[in-house]
Amino acid sequence: MPDTLLVSTRKGLFTYDRTGDSLALTDSAFLGDPVTIALCDPRDGTTYAGLNLGHFGCKLHRRDPGGAWREVAAPAYPEKPADAPVVRDPMRGEEVPWKVQQLWALAPDHSRPGGLWCGTIPGGLFHSSDRGETWTLNMPLWNLPERAQWGGGGYDWPGIHSVVTHPSHPERVMVAISTGGAWRSDDGGETWRVSSQGMRAEYMPPGQEYDPIVQDAHLMMACPAQPDALWVQHHNGIFRSVNGGAEWTEVTTAQPSAFGFAVAVHPANPEVAWFAPAIKDERRIPVDGRVVVSRTRDGGRTFDVLTEGLPQAHAYHLIYRHCLVVSEDAAHPHLAMGSTTGSLWTSANEGERWTRISADLPPIYALSWAKG
């Protein structure tokens, strides 16, 4: 069976099947509706799609292998206790809402069949034990006193965009928050500790740059073959950990920029990672109007700037945080990249050469490879 690429966009979910080095559009769903994230669970082939329908709220749909889509329960906050503390965004001063505004991350919980984690805006982590039929808010994380320091990043409210699980240690789960640093649990979410020591936030006042709770990690990814090896594309740089997030080291050699949102890590080699650089927060466009992918093969000591097949003049594509992905085929990893302007590219040779699959998709929110 071919690999499958799930393309979540502002106006639907599109499915491409890969045969050899080529991709072909084979299915579409939810046409006209914003799909913010999709996941094919590698354990049983079940596919999930999170939608954001505005006034109608966030929805979750599930499709069993060979079956049709059907709506299941979407993560939702329990009734707010009367004595719940008021938590305000430290930048805006407004109370953080007690309502799910976006489904932003989905990941399998390897400790139980059918278990799932879901990261949301505004900063809630939810768990399902029954393939999305029911969800429970992880209260130990939600009730952390440090949550009062989490602030909005690209959105008005803090959000959990990265949920990293560990197949060999199924009780371990890590999350990254924009903006709230990285957090790790080793007991299935019962307790949490901050795990972003070593990250640097240049936007903070002098003396507070290394506060682990205020770090704006744009995306956190692990090497599938060595899950203790982690990479983060940060608001103002790139960081790497080789010990499960206990310590982070800044990578300072990235070209043409260390700013961006996305990171993909080689499925077998933790020294290899890809990034989609832009200028900076105030200029969210490619440097010099040239779309490039930067790649390191030596753990961040040096970088290649990859351009073949990508537009190199007057090109202003932005790559969102879930829009640069690599398949888990260790022998022949296949890259895919999607832009806010609806372009989709793939590479079958680790980014050396890119092929544009489409220039006509809606704005792309997320990509996800699935094994066919």
Side-chain angles (χ1 to χ4, degrees), residues 163-311:
V163 181
V164 178
T165 55
H166 197 303
S168 301
H169 299 282
E171 295 297 322
R172 182 185 303 175
V173 57
M174 293 188 66
V175 299
I177 300 149
S178 184
T179 300
W183 295 79
R184 172 172 159 173
S185 173
D186 290 311
D187 51 16
E190 293 297 323
T191 60
W192 295 88
R193 67 180 186 273
V194 68
S195 191
S196 38
Q197 291 86 353
M199 294 186 194
R200 178 182 64 88
E202 66 179 18
Y203 44 81
M204 293 299 292
Q208 300 179 40
E209 303 95 329
Y210 290 93
D211 182 344
I213 299 170
V214 301
Q215 301 300 319
D216 189 0
H218 282 178
L219 189 70
M220 177 171 62
M221 296 294 292
C223 174
Q226 299 184 41
D228 285 332
L230 298 157
W231 289 85
V232 157
Q233 172 64 70
H234 189 282
H235 184 86
N236 53 252
I238 294 169
F239 294 84
R240 186 186 183 206
S241 174
V242 296
N243 53 12
E247 299 172 299
W248 294 87
T249 302
E250 186 168 6
V251 173
T252 60
T253 54
Q255 296 295 328
S257 165
F259 175 83
F261 292 94
V263 53
V265 184
H266 194 285
N269 186 349
E271 300 287 300
V272 180
W274 296 265
F275 303 85
I279 295 178
K280 58 181 179 178
D281 184 41
E282 301 92 330
R283 294 287 184 274
R284 296 186 177 193
I285 56 174
V287 178
D288 298 325
R290 300 171 60 231
V291 177
V292 307
V293 171
S294 59
R295 178 190 64 199
T296 180
R297 286 175 160 169
D298 53 15
R301 289 186 291 277
T302 62
F303 279 81
D304 304 312
V305 178
L306 310 172
T307 63
E308 187 175 344
L310 299 173

